[in-house]
Amino acid sequence: MKKIKHILAVAAMAAACNASAQNLNSAYFMDGFAYGHLMNPAKDYDRNSYFSVPFLPVPGNFNTGIKGNIGLQNIFLKNPNGNGLVTYLHPEISYAKAMEGFSNNNKLLSDIRYDLLSVGFHGMGGYNTITMGIRSQIGLNLPYELFSLTKRLENRDYELEDLGVNAKAWAEIGLGHSHQINEAWRIGAKAKVLLGVGYAKLNVDELDLDLENPNRWVAEGNATMEVGVNGFSWGETETKEYKTKPGTYQQIDFDNADVDKFGLNGGGFAVDLGAEWDLGKQGILEGMKVSAALLDLGFIKWKSVSTAYNKGDEFVFDGFEDIKVEDGPGTSFEDQIDELEDKLSDLISLQDGGTASKSNGIGATLNVGVEYALPVYDKLSFGLLSTTRFQGEYTWNEERISANVSPVKWFEVGANLGVGTFGASFGWVVNLHPRGFNLFLGMDRMLGKISKQGIPLRSNADFNIGINFPLGKSKI
């Protein structure tokens, strides 16, 4: 697996990270949205049942995008000497210009969902769902000092803290049930079996750099890395000489890392819990509903995890070189960043730490919603949804206010505004569900401009699309 070094180098290519997303929060308050149970397991569905099937040209439910406060436009800037792009490391780009796009903590998050099979039906005194799908998460946490030291080599000490990369992928099988307790209250729960495909994690708790001269850095770090992929090995290590004392040490060479087989590497369990309260049916306020859900409360135990660490010995790192990114014969976007990837891999000198089993969570999400339908025209409603992801240094929050209208039984459309950890965003959703099929598409964050390589320049964008087949008439 020659490109395992990408796990480290992705820090420099944050905006080129894999697509990310969550559930389509823009559709949270839509009764005709079949996948509402993914955002709150207490939700009912306005048809008798629905189903989706895998491998159609349009998937049952697929969400892709990126979310964070760092984007491709922060890493690559216009070439001051001509056409094309260069990295922020280019000597003709001033330090102030290069650093203006970075914050104290630069984050990029990914949460991909692809539902292969989904079924919902009424029975057993409530509404039941069965889902099978694939999910993945990617999180980056990059300190300001990392970009500062790569840009400007000053004769001083640097201290990097809380640099991290976290990625995991798993398959998920879920069984859900929601039940009407009384006229005003509805509750729901979903049990999910998690099948671990793989995960990787890099944590740099502390990295001290002493620049002795403009081309020679002495580094001393405290870093750990874990790769939980079935059949993975670091491969042959390379011998390095200490430059500040006699002796040698063995350093992992990421070009030699490999996977000799494929298969699941762990398993776990998670639950979703939810509730809805209709204040109108409670006799408090007509048209008002309140809901809450706690999702993905669980863990995966990985059976075979290859570990690596930096035990704090001093080593020498020679610095960064400028890397141009431009189109031309014999070049590719991936080839053009290889040099920067190698430098970032060398910066965190790691040694083989053996294998072990590990357990970690998948990140819980809390949704709290308030919806109000106009008494004089109940086809129009307004909603406020608060979403919080709890995941350590990758925790984030968002508040989203929306307006949704259903002029006829089989058509719903909505628009919304969000604000939170990663700034403001605009979202929309269209849900078409006549008898026999349901096609929906929407975005919680607009895409914006993209690069020539097809990568979004902004780090806040997503797109959701899906098709399923409802059975029975709408109950709305």
Side-chain angles (χ1 to χ4, degrees), residues 88-324:
Y88 67 99
L89 305 175
H90 193 281
E92 296 299 323
I93 294 177
S94 70
Y95 178 83
K97 177 65 176 177
M99 301 305 298
E100 66 182 10
F102 302 118
S103 60
N104 289 336
N105 287 297
N106 302 277
K107 297 179 185 292
L108 187 75
L109 306 178
S110 163
D111 193 352
I112 305 169
R113 178 187 291 274
Y114 185 5
D115 289 299
L116 296 171
L117 176 66
S118 184
V119 176
F121 62 94
H122 287 88
M124 297 180 287
Y127 180 61
N128 310 280
T129 57
I130 302 171
T131 56
M132 296 178 61
I134 301 171
R135 295 180 60 184
S136 71
Q137 297 174 349
I138 297 175
L140 304 177
N141 188 46
L142 311 174
Y144 180 90
E145 197 77 347
L146 172 66
F147 299 100
S148 176
L149 71 88
T150 58
K151 174 58 182 175
R152 184 164 65 184
L153 307 181
E154 292 183 331
N155 187 21
R156 67 177 180 89
D157 293 337
Y158 290 87
E159 293 184 3
L160 272 71
E161 296 180 347
D162 300 327
L163 188 157
V165 181
N166 196 327
K168 61 173 67 75
W170 69 94
E172 181 177 286
I173 301 172
L175 300 176
H177 178 80
S178 67
H179 187 79
Q180 195 77 37
I181 296 179
N182 55 41
E183 194 175 42
W185 281 92
R186 187 177 187 89
I187 61 172
K190 181 179 293 185
K192 299 187 286 191
V193 175
L194 312 178
L195 305 175
V197 177
Y199 97 98
K201 180 174 69 173
L202 168 68
N203 282 334
V204 180
D205 297 325
E206 186 178 6
L207 183 63
D208 297 328
L209 297 171
D210 178 18
L211 188 63
E212 294 182 348
N213 61 61
N215 297 308
R216 189 172 184 268
W217 294 348
V218 177
E220 183 178 357
N222 181 10
T224 59
M225 185 174 182
E226 301 172 357
V227 179
V229 177
N230 191 33
F232 174 84
S233 66
W234 295 117
E236 185 178 351
T237 59
E238 57 180 338
T239 301
K240 294 279 190 177
E241 292 186 2
Y242 291 116
K243 300 297 178 65
T244 58
K245 64 180 181 180
T248 62
Y249 63 96
Q250 298 297 312
Q251 176 179 304
I252 288 174
D253 184 350
F254 290 98
D255 283 339
N256 294 331
D258 196 11
V259 175
D260 59 13
K261 59 182 177 180
F262 179 78
L264 298 176
N265 191 42
F269 181 79
V271 295
D272 295 347
L273 304 172
E276 290 185 333
W277 181 29
D278 192 323
L279 278 70
K281 294 180 179 179
Q282 194 77 53
I284 299 176
L285 180 60
E286 187 66 28
M288 179 73 75
K289 295 181 180 179
V290 177
S291 62
L294 184 60
L295 312 175
D296 294 331
L297 191 61
F299 70 95
I300 298 176
K301 183 175 182 179
W302 305 92
K303 62 183 181 181
S304 178
V305 179
S306 298
T307 62
Y309 67 99
N310 183 320
K311 62 181 181 180
D313 287 336
E314 291 186 343
F315 60 95
V316 170
F317 175 68
D318 294 328
F320 289 87
E321 298 176 7
D322 172 58
I323 302 162
K324 295 182 179 181

Side-chain angles (χ1 to χ4, degrees), residues 32-35 37 45-56 58-61 115-122 127-132 432-440 466-472:
F33 184 60
Y35 292 95
H37 59 86
Y45 183 48
D46 77 331
R47 300 296 181 93
N48 290 334
S49 60
Y50 85 92
F51 68 93
S52 68
V53 294
F55 311 123
L56 293 178
V58 177
N61 180 39
D115 289 299
L116 296 171
L117 176 66
S118 184
V119 176
F121 62 94
H122 287 88
Y127 180 61
N128 310 280
T129 57
I130 302 171
T131 56
M132 296 178 61
L432 184 67
H433 53 106
R435 183 180 297 187
F437 79 95
N438 174 200
L439 175 65
F440 63 89
I467 188 169
N468 56 76
F469 305 96
L471 303 176

